[in-house]
Structure formats: structure tokens, C-alpha cells
Amino acid sequence: MKTVFVHPERCIGCRHCEMACAIEHSKSQDLFGMLFETPRSKPRIHVELGIDFMTFPNRCRHCDPAPCMQVCPTGALHRDVETGSVLVNYSTCIGCAMCAMVCPFDIISFNKVWSIQLDHEVNTKCDHCIDRQQAGNIPACVEACKTGALEFGDANTIIRSSRKDFTVRTTLALKGEEAPSLPPNIEAFRDIMAKVSQFGTLG
Ligand code: SF4
Ligand code: SF4
């Protein structure tokens, strides 16, 4: 199973992934073209601010079984057999939000889309960049993320790699040595944001 794996410790909240996602799902697939489109394309990955200016890029996990699919009264949500991606048929989505109520990750949002004329907003969740995948490319959010916070690949392979890193860090700690867990520039960014957070939260 291929998926987008999130390494939250590497996310610096730059929102490049959100922008790339919005461009990818726009009519023109171009930043400046997108700005003049109606309806404006919206990202399907959401970078939310947590505590101490830490951020998390939240997106559809394409669960199997998927609670959203199970409750959709019109069958608008369905699974692509080849990639396992949970997709939305905009023409049969009635915008009832049942899917959003049961999604354990709160990643569904409702918007109008350029590809079909409808009076109502529809579920515009992540489609796993299925067109890009079918063309042999990785999802746009992963390509745009420059810190490595988003990684696309076989889930078991990525998890095994993370597990090996964890084992190395743990065994080094047992020897009294410290292993760098993050690139120096991300460590420096984290230090700065930790100091900024001492002044309190925004708003
Ligand atoms: S929308 Fe939510 S429930 Fe549905 S597949 Fe994605 S993460 Fe799972
Ligand atoms: S909002 Fe659309 S996709 Fe979600 S449950 Fe209703 S009909 Fe299905």
C-alpha cells in the first residue's frame, strides 16, 4: 500500500504543501492562473498550528475500511482499486457532511469545484493526486515539501525505515551518546520558535 507518511517533527509550517495542492487541483494548474479562477481552488491538505508554534500537515489517510465511505448515503465516496485511494464523485455528492462527521481526522472540507456546475459545495478531500500517480509522479504536496515532512511510498517500507532510525537513536542513548534526529536547519528553526513561544500564543 502506497501512502503519504507524515514526519511532523520536520514540519516548519511553511504551507508549501497547501499551495502545491491548490495549484494541482485548479483548472489552470498554474499559480497566477489559479488566482483568477472562480471558484478558487482550495488545498486538500491542512497545515494547522498546535502548541508552541508546532504545526501538523493533516490529510486524508485513505482508510480501509473508510468510515466516510460507509456512511455516505449516495455512494459518492468510492475506492480506486489500483491505488486504494478514496475518491469523491462530485456529481453525486449532496453536501450532507455525514462523511465529515465520522472522519476520525477531520480532514474533509466543502467547496465548489471548477470541474462541475453545482449550486452546492461538495466534499473536496484529498484524492491522493491520483492523476499524478497514474502518470508515475508523486503527490504534489510531497514534491513541494522541502523539509522531508511528507514522504510518499510503500507504508511498510517507510515505517521500517523510521523504526530503524528509532532503534539507532535508542541504542546510542543507551551508550550515553546523542544522535542528531533532525537536520541542523530544522533544529535551529525549532529553537527559535521555542523562544518565540515563550512570549505567549498569538491572538
Ligand atoms: S476522509 Fe477521513 S475517514 Fe475518509 S478515508 Fe480519509 S481519513 Fe479516512
Ligand atoms: S457530503 Fe457528499 S460525500 Fe459526504 S456523505 Fe454526503 S454525499 Fe457523501
Side-chain angles (χ1 to χ4, degrees), residues 68 71-77 88 92-100 110 123:
C68 57
V71 300
C72 178
T74 69
L77 286 154
V88 183
T92 50
C93 173
I94 57 174
C96 65
M98 285 293 290
C99 51
F110 293 86
N123 173 343

Side-chain angles (χ1 to χ4, degrees), residues 5 10 17 34 41 67 85 87 92 114 145 157 172 183 192 197 203:
F5 200 85
R10 287 172 167 261
C17 53
M34 177 184 78
S41 178
S85 310
L87 305 175
T92 50
W114 63 265
C145 180
T157 306
L172 276 171
I192 292 168
S197 72

Side-chain angles (χ1 to χ4, degrees), residues 21 32 35 41 52 58 71 84 86 95-96 98 101 104 106 108 111 117 133 145 163 166 198:
C21 180
F32 295 104
L35 296 177
S41 178
D52 291 349
N58 200 4
V71 300
V86 175
C96 65
M98 285 293 290
M101 290 176 213
D106 292 328
I108 293 173
N111 296 287
Q117 282 280 345
Q133 282 199 58
C145 180
R163 194 161 54 221
F166 176 79
Q198 289 169 1

Side-chain angles (χ1 to χ4, degrees), residues 11 15 17-18 21 42-49 55-60 105-111 124-126:
C11 178
R15 299 183 185 270
C17 53
E18 286 187 346
C21 180
K42 297 282 174 43
R44 289 119 193 268
I45 183 167
H46 310 282
V47 181
E48 300 291 354
L49 190 62
T55 48
F56 183 82
N58 200 4
R59 60 185 294 287
C60 176
F105 305 103
D106 292 328
I107 54 74
I108 293 173
S109 53
F110 293 86
N111 296 287
T124 50
K125 71 168 205 65
C126 162

Side-chain angles (χ1 to χ4, degrees), residues 154-176:
D154 174 69
N156 281 334
T157 306
I158 298 172
I159 293 165
R160 182 151 190 261
S161 169
S162 296
R163 194 161 54 221
K164 282 185 88 171
D165 280 354
F166 176 79
T167 305
V168 168
R169 281 202 306 278
T170 305
T171 48
L172 276 171
L174 287 172
K175 288 176 65 181

